Amino acid sequence: MLAASLPDLDALDLDSVKALLIDQHEKYTAALTSRTSEIERLVLLVEKLQRMLFGTKSEKVLRQIEQLELQLEELQAANAIEEAKAVDPVERPVAAKPFRRPLPDHLPREIHTHLPSYNACPDCGGKLRELGEDVAEMLERVRACFKVIRHVRPKLSCNACDKIVQAPAPSRPIDRGLAGPGLLAHVLVSKYADHLPLYRQSEIYAREGVDLDRSTLAGWVGATSDLLTPLVDAVRDHVMSASKLHADDTPVPVLAPGNGRTKTGRLWTYVRDDRPSGDTTAPAVWFAYSPDRKGENPQKHLKLYKGALQADAYAGFQHLYEGGTIIEVACWAHTRRKFHEIHIAHPSPITTEAIERIAALYAIEAEIRGSTPEIRKTIRQARAQPLLDSMYTWLETTLAKLSRKSETAAAIRYAFSRWLALTRYAGDGHLEIDNNTAERALRVVALGRKNFLFAGSNAGGERAAAIYSLLGSAKLNGLDPELYLHHILERIADHPINKIGDLLPWNVSLPNQYDLA
């Protein structure tokens, strides 16, 4: 683009050519710096919007993120082209050189050695000796492929009595099924973790020369989820045995039978994760599906649970707290969101101060994350409780000055209506300041809901809840979900039901993924 405006170089003297080169270099540097700054601005904006994903306008935010990510792709592609066109790489601005992470050590290395095309010195014909070597690595991808495993069982007969002896047929995840455990794991992870509907998967497999229609894949999903039911039940039992749970729910579209339209089902999540308070008990998440959002659903899910429940202000949870066996712990992130939404639309000194006061509470939590409950309680009582007492007084004084109909007054009343539950965390080091743990668990559902119709029936919703429970629990325990499913699908058909706990994510040791090829 810059070269198109160059004058006739033959008509210029040396000083003019130097001046021209300096000018062009400055323009190139300025353009590249401007593009780099724009990339940095967009990256920050995307990160900001991602933090807003679970607000009341999350679908709109998702579309904004998609558009910004497309802009980023275009700018970064343009940067790569400009860098490739640079005449002298040494002269490139420092900002144009991206940070390059080292390639992972666990990847297999294929060494290609490139020897000179001559065996002697091209100048004098002398013998060449090894001086050293230059090594450069390039990341490559080997396309995933199907393979057929043929099980052969020779038949042997006795020469004396003609008895036929033969090894028993090896079990399969699905009885007489065509799919092996690796393929089944891939189908499930592609659908529920990577958000690829079965018809898209069918098209991808067809490109690889394997005809697997959607009905076949759907049958595999159904049979596999049924096979995994005992394991999902074990996850649920582990989650419900905790003394503190994070709970949340999200709407999911479900095809209504008969009329081809959709209805709104609900996916509930219950998370056990005490790592922030220094506990080493394995974290886990259990999902449950219901066709509606009636309060009887969480009551059924939590009928045997006793302990603290960290959740939002959903009215259906309120009945759970009446008996005293479940203790309400409210979420400061939801309270902050009330002020933040007002602040985005109409910033004011009141919303600014409210957000800053809440941020001071979070700063304390960042310092003590991972400490023991005793340490967390001591520090919270010494530093957070005075801030909470001061905030209550300030909110009370501020509310008296506001119109009852103002949005800011409504946000303050929201905080007052559950103040005891909001401040309960300060007196118990096991509790958390918010319910973000449950919201993080629901992210995979929000992304899947955006890409395709969530479920074709209530049964489909229940299957999804089961698979989300295993995938989410595997991720919480640092496992690759696909490797984990592969591992258990190889074993679960023959595994004793009374030892199903051996297959829980925190009890398995997975091989390196390259050992499975």
Side-chain angles (χ1 to χ4, degrees):
M1 180 175 67
L2 296 174
S5 60
L6 288 175
D8 183 4
L9 297 179
D10 293 333
L12 299 177
D13 57 26
L14 183 59
D15 290 338
S16 298
V17 171
K18 289 181 179 179
L20 179 63
L21 286 174
I22 292 172
D23 179 64
Q24 292 295 319
H25 178 73
E26 289 176 349
K27 288 181 179 179
Y28 169 78
T29 302
L32 206 54
T33 302
S34 175
R35 188 181 290 115
T36 301
S37 299
E38 179 66 6
I39 288 173
E40 292 174 353
R41 186 188 72 82
L42 288 173
V43 167
L44 290 174
L45 187 54
V46 167
E47 290 175 351
K48 178 182 176 182
L49 289 171
Q50 285 173 334
R51 289 194 293 270
M52 297 166 57
L53 267 179
F54 297 95
T56 56
K57 299 180 180 179
S58 60
E59 298 295 335
K60 181 179 179 181
V61 173
L62 279 168
R63 287 194 294 272
Q64 285 182 270
I65 290 175
E66 286 179 341
Q67 293 169 357
L68 289 171
E69 286 178 337
L70 284 174
Q71 285 182 255
L72 274 173
E73 289 177 11
E74 291 300 322
L75 285 169
Q76 289 165 340
N79 249 12
I81 293 171
E82 289 297 328
E83 288 180 23
K85 289 181 177 178
V87 175
D88 186 355
V90 177
E91 296 297 324
R92 294 176 190 165
V94 174
K97 296 180 179 179
F99 170 73
R100 180 171 291 171
R101 297 183 182 87
L103 297 178
D105 291 335
H106 69 266
L107 296 181
R109 259 61 178 178
E110 182 178 303
I111 299 175
H112 292 196
T113 302
H114 305 275
L115 297 173
S117 57
Y118 30 77
N119 299 321
C121 176
D123 290 342
C124 68
K127 183 179 179 181
L128 297 176
R129 68 177 184 275
E130 188 171 336
L131 181 63
E133 62 184 13
D134 290 331
V135 177
E137 293 191 327
M138 178 174 67
L139 186 64
E140 181 60 287
R141 182 178 185 275
V142 179
R143 179 172 177 173
C145 63
F146 288 90
K147 67 179 179 181
V148 176
I149 298 177
R150 175 174 292 180
H151 295 282
V152 179
R153 298 184 296 131
K155 293 182 178 180
L156 306 175
S157 65
C158 175
N159 288 330
C161 66
D162 292 332
K163 179 180 176 63
I164 297 176
V165 178
Q166 187 179 32
S171 64
R172 304 184 181 208
I174 300 174
D175 190 29
R176 294 191 298 276
L178 182 69
L183 177 55
L184 292 173
H186 182 71
V187 170
L188 291 174
V189 170
S190 296
K191 177 176 171 61
Y192 294 108
D194 298 333
H195 325 297
L196 277 174
L198 296 181
Y199 78 88
R200 292 185 188 168
Q201 292 190 51
S202 178
E203 293 170 353
I204 293 171
Y205 300 147
R207 290 202 304 266
E208 298 179 30
V210 179
D211 184 15
L212 295 173
D213 57 45
R214 179 167 50 180
S215 63
T216 298
L217 298 176
W220 291 351
V221 170
T224 306
S225 63
D226 184 61
L227 178 67
L228 295 171
T229 297
L231 192 60
V232 176
D233 291 343
V235 169
R236 178 200 59 204
D237 294 343
H238 175 76
V239 169
M240 291 301 163
S241 67
S243 60
K244 180 205 72 181
L245 282 184
H246 293 269
D248 205 352
D249 68 296
T250 190
V252 288
V254 180
L255 191 64
N259 57 16
R261 299 180 180 177
T262 60
K263 61 179 182 178
T264 301
R266 216 75 194 179
L267 204 66
W268 308 79
T269 186
Y270 302 95
V271 187
R272 175 179 186 171
D273 189 354
D274 294 318
R275 291 175 296 178
S277 59
D279 196 300
T280 58
T281 304
V285 56
W286 178 62
F287 286 85
Y289 169 81
S290 67
D292 52 49
R293 205 194 183 201
K294 295 178 181 178
E296 63 191 42
N297 294 304
Q299 291 177 45
K300 180 174 67 175
H301 303 154
L302 299 169
K303 62 182 178 181
L304 300 178
Y305 175 69
K306 296 179 181 180
L309 184 65
Q310 304 220 215
D312 60 18
Y314 166 55
F317 288 137
Q318 298 306 312
H319 298 292
L320 297 169
Y321 310 133
E322 295 172 356
T325 57
I326 297 180
I327 307 300
E328 179 185 11
V329 185
C331 175
W332 271 105
H334 279 80
T335 305
R336 179 191 180 279
R337 194 171 295 155
K338 299 288 184 181
F339 292 101
H340 186 260
E341 289 172 352
I342 301 169
H343 187 77
I344 293 298
H346 309 289
S348 70
I350 294 175
T351 57
T352 299
E353 183 166 351
I355 292 171
E356 290 176 350
R357 284 176 177 266
I358 296 172
L361 297 175
Y362 272 88
I364 296 172
E365 294 304 301
E367 294 179 23
I368 62 176
R369 186 172 294 113
S371 300
T372 64
E374 294 74 22
I375 292 175
R376 280 155 58 101
K377 178 181 177 180
T378 299
I379 294 177
R380 285 171 175 173
Q381 288 289 292
R383 295 171 57 188
Q385 191 62 55
L387 295 180
L388 290 167
D389 295 339
S390 173
M391 185 187 300
Y392 187 91
T393 303
W394 174 76
L395 288 172
E396 199 171 37
T397 302
T398 302
L399 183 61
K401 301 175 183 178
L402 296 172
S403 166
R404 289 187 57 82
K405 295 182 178 180
S406 77
E407 294 179 350
T408 304
I412 294 176
R413 287 195 295 271
Y414 174 89
F416 279 157
S417 68
R418 46 194 50 82
W419 190 258
L420 178 60
L422 279 170
T423 57
R424 186 165 274 133
Y425 85 97
D428 189 337
H430 295 88
L431 305 178
E432 300 305 320
I433 191 173
D434 57 34
N435 194 37
N436 287 347
T437 299
E439 292 196 352
R440 285 193 295 270
L442 284 175
R443 286 182 182 176
V444 65
V445 181
L447 292 171
R449 180 179 58 211
K450 168 180 168 291
N451 278 349
F452 58 95
L453 180 69
F454 179 79
S457 65
N458 289 332
E462 293 169 0
R463 283 194 294 270
I467 303 304
Y468 280 137
S469 298
L470 295 180
L471 298 182
S473 296
K475 290 168 68 175
L476 283 174
N477 286 274
L479 301 182
D480 180 312
E482 186 169 342
L483 293 184
Y484 172 64
L485 285 182
H486 187 162
H487 177 83
I488 61 177
L489 287 171
E490 282 183 318
R491 294 160 175 78
I492 194 168
D494 297 323
H495 198 80
I497 191 66
N498 61 342
K499 294 184 178 180
I500 196 68
D502 295 345
L503 299 181
L504 289 167
W506 49 93
N507 291 331
V508 302
S509 178
L510 296 183
N512 185 284
Q513 59 181 317
Y514 299 103
D515 296 336
L516 297 175

